[in-house]
Amino acid sequence: MFSFISRRLLAGLGTLLVSTFAMYLLVSASIRPFEDLEQSTNPNKLEQIAQRRELLDLDTPAVIRYFKWLGDFVTGDLGVGWRSGQPVSNMLQGAVISTIQLVAAATVIAILFGVMVGIVSALRQYSTFDYLTIFVSFVLYSLPAFWVAVLLKQWGAIGFNDFLKDPSNSPLVIVVAGLVIGLLCMLAVGGTVKRRATTFAIAFAATAGAILYLQLSNWWLDPNLGPVIILVTGTALAFAITALTSGLKNRRALGASLTTVVIGLALYYPLQSLFRMPFSWMYVLGLALVTVAVGIAVGYLWGGPDKGISARAASLTAVVVAGMIFIDKVMSLWPQYMGAPAINGRPIATIGSSTPNLGGNFWVQTLDTYTHLLLPTLALVLIQFAGYTRYSRSSMLEVMNQDYIRTARAKGLPEREVIMRHGFRNTLIPLATIVPIDVITLLGGAIITEQVFARPGMGTLFIRSLRGAEIEPVMAYLVIVAALAILANIVADLIYAALDPRIRVNA
């Protein structure tokens, strides 16, 4: 393992050196640092051109300038943007944080829903749900990113902000929403006519009931989860997580998951007192680690022949319950946020990464960050979701037609175990190549999405610096993206080895 990583890192450094050399020469040849002066009518234009030439050291050959830049970069001096006057390190810091905020949520959501829908579509091959999934995924995959972003601005921000002035739904809207969700659930579950009808009725009633509850409780203007919703949702998710990870017949895993729900509910009110103290993301990270540790401990305390399965189910449930408690606290600031003069009753933002002159504590700032992330994250999710759905569907179809799947079924294994333990694990192998590369691509900046929503991310930094002929920020950007791409390939190889025992990284 160590020798493999060492070899790949050395090869990556060589690749990085060659690529930065080529990119420096290309960028030097493509930028136009005198464009504004060439169009100037000042009588001292030639003198200004000479001063800028000296400032940028353009009389020195590009090859020598590259090695000067490389020497400074290796020693930690990233340079200064000559036009903006800002250190490149400061410019990168803000851009990287903004991009990570956007990419992290979009990638996780797209992977979870894309893989889930793709696998269900593969298991229901040639059904109406399968054809519908294929149609929707191809439509989303072919849509231009800027067009999706503009539509979300119109209907997701402007339309929703107008809705908040009078947050009520007509009976027709409630019925249509219930019908759509009921049909989707019915098509996804399938089965006999009785099972389909039961699924449709339950989904329709749940959807209509949820919308009515939101409307009658004035939830849109004062949203919250509260202990009751957390208990009901956490219990349902505990059953779902246990069913997927071990099966409901594993009573110890189910008991461990339900125990973490009870612990989370018991800590709900004590945590409210903790949340009133000065808070930061370091505290959130610490509490997240404690949550995982408690879930693992509960799983092992329940014991059984396979404590690891119980610990896995309990820790996943604990993370979900803790996430709901955190979201509940953030949502409790919604009335205060809506009433702020800087918000003016229109909370869903269309541009930027934060609201100027908002003020407020950690929770208000967190809510403001979420409202600014909502639309660009949704735009990326819709486009990525289509790709992951197609990849996971085709991979699952290939795996489920293998001989070892037929053998597992012939041995009498439960269908859940055949799908989750034998099929799903091998379905992830092709995705192990796609996901790391996609993540790195997005970390390089979702350029179109950032431009439409005016987010100061890595893509915006690259475009602005390239237009401004600032080579230092452009090169810093390219080095980061290239280095992350090399690391992504190494991570993909390690994931291969973790998913498939036949693959050895030290071979």
Side-chain angles (χ1 to χ4, degrees):
M1 175 72 74
F2 177 76
S3 61
F4 166 79
I5 296 178
S6 301
R7 292 197 307 270
R8 292 299 301 272
L9 287 177
L10 289 175
L13 287 175
T15 304
L16 188 62
L17 183 64
V18 174
S19 62
T20 55
F21 177 74
M23 292 307 301
Y24 192 94
L25 297 182
L26 291 173
V27 173
S28 297
S30 63
I31 61 177
R32 299 180 59 185
F34 305 116
E35 184 176 8
D36 58 327
L37 295 179
E38 291 170 351
Q39 302 173 0
S40 174
T41 58
N42 288 335
N44 60 343
K45 179 174 69 174
L46 295 178
E47 181 180 350
Q48 291 178 342
I49 291 176
Q51 291 176 351
R52 186 171 297 181
R53 182 181 295 276
E54 181 180 359
L55 173 67
L56 301 180
D57 196 21
L58 296 180
D59 291 327
T60 304
V63 175
I64 298 177
R65 280 189 281 120
Y66 164 75
F67 284 105
K68 288 183 178 179
W69 168 84
L70 182 63
D72 293 337
F73 190 90
V74 171
T75 58
D77 182 9
L78 304 185
V80 178
W82 66 269
R83 192 180 295 275
S84 62
Q86 297 183 15
V88 175
S89 57
N90 294 346
M91 298 166 65
L92 283 175
Q93 184 178 2
V96 168
I97 292 175
S98 178
T99 297
I100 289 178
Q101 287 177 341
L102 176 60
V103 170
T107 303
V108 171
I109 295 173
I111 291 174
L112 288 177
F113 284 94
V115 171
M116 180 179 66
V117 173
I119 289 176
V120 174
S121 178
L123 297 176
R124 303 273 301 136
Q125 188 182 17
Y126 302 134
S127 65
T128 305
F129 181 81
D130 184 34
Y131 289 129
L132 182 62
T133 300
I134 294 173
F135 173 76
V136 172
S137 63
F138 272 103
V139 169
L140 291 176
Y141 194 77
S142 61
L143 288 179
F146 69 88
W147 191 70
V148 174
V150 170
L151 288 181
L152 287 174
K153 273 190 172 185
Q154 176 63 41
W155 302 106
I158 299 175
F160 183 76
N161 288 334
D162 291 339
F163 166 77
L164 290 179
K165 295 178 181 178
D166 182 20
S168 60
N169 296 290
S170 65
L172 179 61
V173 172
I174 297 175
V175 171
V176 170
L179 289 174
V180 171
I181 301 299
L183 286 173
L184 289 176
C185 293
M186 181 186 72
L187 295 174
V189 174
T192 63
V193 175
K194 181 179 179 181
R195 183 180 182 185
R196 289 170 180 262
T198 303
T199 302
F200 174 82
I202 293 175
F204 177 86
T207 303
I211 297 176
L212 282 173
Y213 169 79
L214 296 179
Q215 182 167 316
L216 296 176
S217 63
N218 203 28
W219 192 88
W220 295 109
L221 297 180
D222 188 12
N224 63 84
L225 296 179
V228 176
I229 296 179
I230 292 176
L231 174 62
V232 174
T233 308
T235 302
L237 290 174
F239 276 93
I241 291 172
T242 305
L244 291 175
T245 56
S246 62
L248 293 178
K249 292 183 179 179
N250 190 332
R251 299 301 181 185
R252 292 183 181 272
L254 180 60
S257 298
L258 293 175
T259 301
T260 57
V261 175
V262 174
I263 293 175
L265 198 65
L267 294 175
Y268 177 82
Y269 288 107
L271 284 174
Q272 304 306 312
S273 300
L274 178 64
F275 291 156
R276 284 192 285 269
M277 299 172 59
F279 226 72
S280 68
W281 282 107
M282 291 301 297
Y283 288 111
V284 175
L285 178 60
L287 290 176
L289 295 176
V290 172
T291 299
V292 174
V294 169
I296 294 174
V298 169
Y300 275 94
L301 288 175
W302 270 85
D306 195 343
K307 299 179 180 179
I309 293 179
S310 300
R312 180 173 56 191
S315 60
L316 289 174
T317 306
V319 169
V320 171
V321 174
M324 287 192 292
I325 295 175
F326 179 81
I327 293 173
D328 176 74
K329 174 58 182 177
V330 175
M331 291 168 63
S332 68
L333 275 295
W334 186 262
Q336 177 182 343
Y337 181 74
M338 284 275 289
I343 301 300
N344 195 26
R346 304 186 68 83
I348 306 302
T350 57
I351 59 173
S353 58
S354 61
T355 302
N357 305 318
L358 176 63
N361 58 14
F362 167 81
W363 301 104
V364 174
Q365 293 296 324
T366 301
L367 179 56
D368 184 58
T369 300
Y370 287 166
T371 57
H372 283 79
L373 281 173
L374 181 61
L375 296 186
T377 298
L378 188 56
L380 291 179
V381 166
L382 290 175
I383 297 173
Q384 286 185 286
F385 166 83
Y388 290 134
T389 299
R390 294 171 61 235
Y391 288 130
S392 58
R393 178 185 179 275
S394 60
S395 180
M396 191 68 175
L397 285 175
E398 181 181 358
V399 167
M400 295 304 289
N401 289 323
Q402 298 295 322
D403 291 338
Y404 68 87
I405 295 294
R406 287 191 287 270
T407 302
R409 285 171 171 160
K411 289 166 61 178
L413 292 178
E415 188 66 12
R416 184 207 62 81
E417 188 170 347
V418 173
I419 294 173
M420 295 301 299
R421 182 163 293 186
H422 297 276
F424 178 68
R425 184 186 182 94
N426 291 322
T427 299
L428 295 177
I429 294 178
L431 292 174
T433 302
I434 300 165
V435 172
I437 301 300
D438 280 355
V439 172
I440 298 311
T441 302
L442 287 177
L443 284 176
I447 296 178
I448 297 177
T449 304
E450 289 179 358
Q451 289 290 304
V452 174
F453 292 103
R455 288 193 61 84
M458 290 287 285
T460 301
L461 172 66
F462 174 74
I463 294 297
R464 186 177 66 246
S465 301
L466 196 61
R467 290 174 177 171
E470 295 181 310
I471 194 170
E472 284 81 6
V474 172
M475 288 304 301
Y477 167 89
L478 293 173
V479 169
I480 291 175
V481 173
L484 290 176
I486 293 170
L487 291 177
N489 282 280
I490 298 176
V491 170
D493 289 337
L494 297 177
I495 295 176
Y496 283 153
L499 293 175
D500 191 345
R502 297 171 298 179
I503 299 175
R504 292 291 180 266
V505 293
N506 57 354

